[in-house]
């Protein structure tokens, strides 16, 4: 799908104001249920996790969304800690369901070895609308810096704050979709009053490390594990993935703290942002979920080895 030459909201070259943001929000229709898909799944995990409500997202006329985290029931101060986050971008489905699948089927394998804090759906309003931004047309995954304005990000920061410097691992589960190019990047250009410059969507899974501390062996351990589940994205003709140099097979780096990414919410030594490609004809939804699980397991296994 090709992006429109002119996004249907706003005036080219002029950043959006309140009216344009309201017009954008009015176009966002509810397409699925956070309560049915996520809250019921969390409720079924109460026998194995401590379920912690860490906030409520007030989306005005669109309702109020309780925010939940899963915390190891056998949490021990003498063990290392790991954070798993999904649904920072609500439309990235396997991040949410991969986190829940890991919690349901695999978290028990790490009992007594590492404490787990799993936040499966950080952005429930966006999950229901299959949207990247929150209701205010703000990207939560650019809102973890000191000037971040997304309520979803602020709530997660507050949850993590007491343990921020005590994590060994943080896995942030994402997707790169065809709609990034057909909808979300054109919308961002229009919102910011910038020209849209077409890019290329990579076909396959890749990871994003932190430029400040990339941990290349850790990233490669994740890639090796996921390659058994789904294909890894190759570099494009420029040797890049989404405009960043490929530093190893399936790996790029971002300045996470500078960009206000969720990967900067802790000071964990081992941090990675996963990027699954759900629109590939070579990948099914189940494979995408399995890839996220494989990535989390590989990360924990590497860190604990």
């Amino acid at each position: 799908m090709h992006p429109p030459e002119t996004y249907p909201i706003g005036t080219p070259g002029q950043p959006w104001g309140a009216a344009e943001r309201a017009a954008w929000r009015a176009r966002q229709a509810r397409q699925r249920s956070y309560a049915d898909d996520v809250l019921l799944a969390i409720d079924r995990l109460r026998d194995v996790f401590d379920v912690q409500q860490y906030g409520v997202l007030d989306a005005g006329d669109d309702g109020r969304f309780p925010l939940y985290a899963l915390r190891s029931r056998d949490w021990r101060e003498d063990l290392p800690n790991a954070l798993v986050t999904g649904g920072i971008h609500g439309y990235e489905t396997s991040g949410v369901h991969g986190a829940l699948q890991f919690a349901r089927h695999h978290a028990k394998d790490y009992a007594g070895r590492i404490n787990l804090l799993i936040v499966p759906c950080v952005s429930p309003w966006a999950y229901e609308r299959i949207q990247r931004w929150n209701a205010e047309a703000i990207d939560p995954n650019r809102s973890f810096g000191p000037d971040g304005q997304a309520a979803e990000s602020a709530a997660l920061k507050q949850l993590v704050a007491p343990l921020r410097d005590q994590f060994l691992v943080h896995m942030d589960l994402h997707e790169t979709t065809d709609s990034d190019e057909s909808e979300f990047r054109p919308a961002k250009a229009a919102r910011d009053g910038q020209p849209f410059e077409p890019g290329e969507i990579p076909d396959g899974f890749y990871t994003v490390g932190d430029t400040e501390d990339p941990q290349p062996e850790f990233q490669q351990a994740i890639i090796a594990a996921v390659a058994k589940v789904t294909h890894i994205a190759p570099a494009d003709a420029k040797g890049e993935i989404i405009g960043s140099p490929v530093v190893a097979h399936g790996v790029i780096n971002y300045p996470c703290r500078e960009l206000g990414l969720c990967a900067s919410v802790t000071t964990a030594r081992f941090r990675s942002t996963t990027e699954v490609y759900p629109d590939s004809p070579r990948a099914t939804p189940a494979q995408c979920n399995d890839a996220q699980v494989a990535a989390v397991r590989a990360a924990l296994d590497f860190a604990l080895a």
Side-chain angles (χ1 to χ4, degrees):
M1 179 178 178
H2 295 289
E5 291 186 8
T6 302
Y7 196 74
I9 295 172
T11 301
Q14 296 182 16
W16 289 358
E20 289 80 12
R21 289 174 185 266
W24 172 85
R25 179 169 176 168
R27 290 164 53 94
Q28 310 309 316
R30 184 175 184 267
Q31 301 182 57
R32 56 189 179 184
S33 170
Y34 171 67
D36 292 346
D37 296 353
V38 180
L39 297 186
L40 282 179
I42 289 174
D43 202 47
R44 296 187 187 105
L45 292 166
R46 289 181 182 274
D47 59 335
V48 290
F49 283 95
D50 289 331
V51 177
Q52 177 182 353
Q53 182 173 349
Y54 68 93
V56 176
L57 178 67
D58 187 347
D61 292 342
D62 292 330
R64 291 165 59 85
F65 300 86
L67 302 171
Y68 287 101
L70 303 169
R71 184 182 173 103
S72 293
R73 179 154 292 168
D74 56 347
W75 194 283
R76 286 169 35 191
E77 295 300 324
D78 62 321
L79 294 179
N81 303 327
L83 173 66
V84 179
T85 47
I88 303 292
H89 293 140
Y91 74 112
E92 295 173 2
T93 304
S94 71
V96 176
H97 294 287
L100 289 168
Q101 181 174 314
F102 169 78
R104 184 167 56 250
H105 295 299
H106 302 282
K108 62 183 180 296
D109 298 339
Y110 298 92
R113 301 170 62 200
I114 192 166
N115 300 317
L116 297 172
L117 183 63
I118 303 171
V119 188
C121 190
V122 174
S123 298
W125 180 91
Y127 175 84
E128 291 200 334
R129 285 150 185 82
I130 313 183
Q131 177 53 242
R132 181 181 181 89
W133 294 340
N134 71 3
E136 309 303 322
I138 296 170
D139 187 338
N141 203 35
R142 297 297 185 276
S143 296
F144 286 90
D147 299 324
Q149 297 179 326
E152 297 85 347
S153 308
L156 181 60
K157 286 172 65 177
Q158 186 174 14
L159 169 69
V160 170
L163 299 168
R164 183 176 185 273
D165 298 327
Q166 300 174 35
F167 285 98
L168 177 64
V169 179
H170 177 199
M171 292 296 291
D172 190 29
L173 311 183
H174 285 257
E175 295 181 345
T176 300
T177 72
D178 287 346
S179 57
D180 287 2
E181 189 69 9
S182 63
E183 166 62 23
F184 300 123
R185 291 186 64 246
K188 179 180 183 299
R191 183 198 65 183
D192 298 343
Q194 301 293 327
F196 171 67
E197 298 181 2
E200 183 177 330
I201 299 297
D203 183 358
F205 178 95
Y206 63 100
T207 66
V208 183
D210 191 340
T211 303
E212 294 180 7
D213 187 15
Q215 296 290 336
E217 293 182 359
F218 171 65
Q219 307 297 339
Q220 282 297 287
I222 296 169
I223 293 294
V226 173
K228 299 174 182 177
V229 176
T230 191
H231 58 293
I232 305 304
D236 62 21
K238 297 179 181 178
E240 298 177 341
I241 290 177
I242 58 168
S244 293
V246 172
V247 297
H249 182 46
V251 180
I252 62 174
N253 292 321
Y254 270 9
C256 295
R257 207 169 308 280
E258 177 185 330
L259 294 175
L261 303 187
C262 183
S264 68
V265 77
T266 77
T267 60
R269 178 182 178 190
F270 298 112
R271 289 174 283 129
S272 187
T273 301
T274 66
E275 294 287 353
V276 173
Y277 180 45
D279 297 316
S280 173
R282 301 165 59 190
T284 65
Q287 276 180 296
C288 292
N289 294 343
D290 289 347
Q292 302 283 22
V293 171
V296 174
R297 288 179 59 86
L300 296 176
D301 292 344
F302 183 93
L304 289 171

